[in-house]
Amino acid sequence: MYEEKLTDIEKRYDELQRKIADPSVVTDVAAYRNTMKAISEIDDVVAKYRQLKDVRKRLADAREMLQANDEMRELAQMEIAELEPQEPALEKEIQVLLQPKDPNDEKNVFVEIRAGTGGDEASLFAAEIMRMYVRYAEQKRWKVDMTDANYSSVNGIKDATLQIEGNRVYSRLKFESGVHRVQRVPQTETQGRIHTSAITVAVLPEVEDIDIVINEKDLRIDTFCSSGPGGQSVNTTYSAVRMTHLPSGVVVSCQDEKSQIKNRAKALKVLKARLYDIERQKREAELSATRKGMIGSGDRSEKIRTYNFPQDRVTDHRIGLTVHNLPDVMNGNLDVIVEPLASHFQAEKLKEAVEAK
């Protein structure tokens, strides 16, 4: 255990708590926000450490009672039996919490959803997955904007981009990147046969200006009229923006705002996020060409999850997790999948760190 480090973190936490009660900090918006952010970064570690110290103290008292008092021996043995498994479990949880955090965890995200194999059925499923993420974001009190969408002839989604802003959005949604497969009887199926379709989801952290620099001369910007479902014109002004990054060939578009200037700004944010993701994938490939991790690796060629409607289940193939009550998941109750994924990959991260020592 990292006792000295934990003691220092606890002292830092107490200092921050005193600081947040200082009237000069409370009235300074920036200082208050920064202090609260610093507290939130270590409060989980401090809570677990204090829980661990309490367990150790109670264990020591019970062992002392076991030696000194015959009448209390049975009670002491019960207390020890209950507390002993808790100590190593808490130590492991603390080790996980002390691991370096993903620098992108605090960032807002762009979620890109694209229909894959399956024609109209894939586009309909893409629209349902988009609604699932919107409802999940609503539960978390995150802000959601649709920056771009191309609709299919059946009012499904060929592709769409959501901008989601809130507290630690990337930390929750980064596990969603990959191929999502659906198995069900499509609305257009007359003989009741189950079809398999697929869509892709890409979760990109929003990039700060200091992360990615784009030269104006490397951009080609086209404008066009915004459109909605069915292709009907939303307005007659050229407010929608299509932005092409010439060196990479990456193309993004944005049409959710009536202002061309606002659409241009949003499109530039999406472009930066995509270019950042490309660079991140290159770095990860260079670090480990054989790395199998499908979380955050950007590898979307393999299915990560299957939504089986006839059997009312969702299976995440990365960790072998199966959850029933599919309508509940599609309604945005994703924590039953997100939290086990986070725990699993945190444990994997800890294992890699231990093996590397």
Side-chain angles (χ1 to χ4, degrees), residues 20-244:
I20 205 69
D22 187 333
S24 64
V25 174
V26 173
T27 55
D28 186 329
V29 175
Y32 184 82
R33 182 176 61 246
N34 291 338
T35 306
M36 288 301 297
K37 182 180 178 181
I39 290 173
S40 68
E41 288 173 353
I42 60 174
D43 57 0
D44 287 345
V45 177
V46 173
K48 289 294 180 185
Y49 180 46
R50 288 176 173 172
Q51 189 178 345
L52 176 62
K53 289 196 297 183
D54 179 64
V55 166
R56 286 174 172 172
K57 182 180 183 304
R58 289 167 59 193
L59 263 173
D61 292 343
R63 286 166 180 155
E64 186 178 340
M65 188 187 303
L66 193 66
Q67 299 296 325
N69 193 329
D70 290 340
E71 295 179 0
M72 302 295 289
R73 184 180 298 276
E74 185 176 350
L75 184 61
Q77 288 173 337
M78 290 174 60
E79 181 87 349
I80 291 169
E82 179 188 346
L83 294 172
E84 276 187 337
Q86 294 182 29
E87 185 176 11
L90 285 167
E91 289 175 350
K92 186 174 181 180
E93 287 184 57
I94 291 170
Q95 284 181 314
V96 170
L97 291 171
L98 287 175
Q99 292 302 305
K101 291 181 172 59
D102 186 333
N104 291 321
D105 277 352
E106 300 289 335
K107 293 185 177 181
N108 300 322
V109 302
F110 293 100
V111 179
E112 298 181 340
I113 301 165
R114 287 185 171 81
T117 55
D120 286 344
E121 166 63 4
S123 75
L124 289 170
F125 183 59
E128 291 176 48
I129 289 295
M130 182 179 72
R131 286 193 293 271
M132 178 183 76
Y133 290 132
V134 169
R135 288 166 181 164
Y136 182 60
E138 289 171 350
Q139 291 178 16
K140 298 294 182 183
R141 299 183 182 276
W142 296 337
K143 178 185 175 185
V144 181
D145 284 323
M146 182 187 291
T147 64
D148 188 40
N150 291 309
Y151 296 88
S152 68
S153 59
V154 293
N155 285 338
I157 294 288
K158 293 180 181 178
D159 57 78
T161 302
L162 300 175
Q163 182 181 20
I164 305 180
E165 301 176 349
N167 182 37
R168 294 176 59 80
V169 180
Y170 186 74
S171 71
R172 305 296 294 182
L173 292 181
K174 64 182 177 181
F175 308 110
E176 296 302 301
S177 291
V179 175
H180 295 237
R181 186 176 69 170
V182 60
Q183 294 175 325
R184 65 182 177 186
V185 178
Q187 297 176 10
T188 54
E189 171 60 51
T190 57
Q191 299 182 25
R193 293 174 298 188
I194 296 173
H195 288 223
T196 299
S197 304
I199 68 163
T200 61
V201 175
V203 179
L204 312 176
E206 187 175 334
V207 179
E208 302 292 337
D209 288 340
I210 58 173
D211 295 330
I212 292 289
V213 178
I214 297 176
N215 294 322
E216 284 286 333
K217 64 180 179 64
D218 291 335
L219 296 177
R220 186 180 76 233
I221 299 174
D222 304 305
T223 58
F224 57 97
C225 293
S226 300
S227 62
Q232 294 180 337
S233 176
V234 170
N235 59 58
T236 56
T237 62
Y238 286 79
S239 60
V241 171
R242 183 181 297 108
M243 190 174 288
T244 304

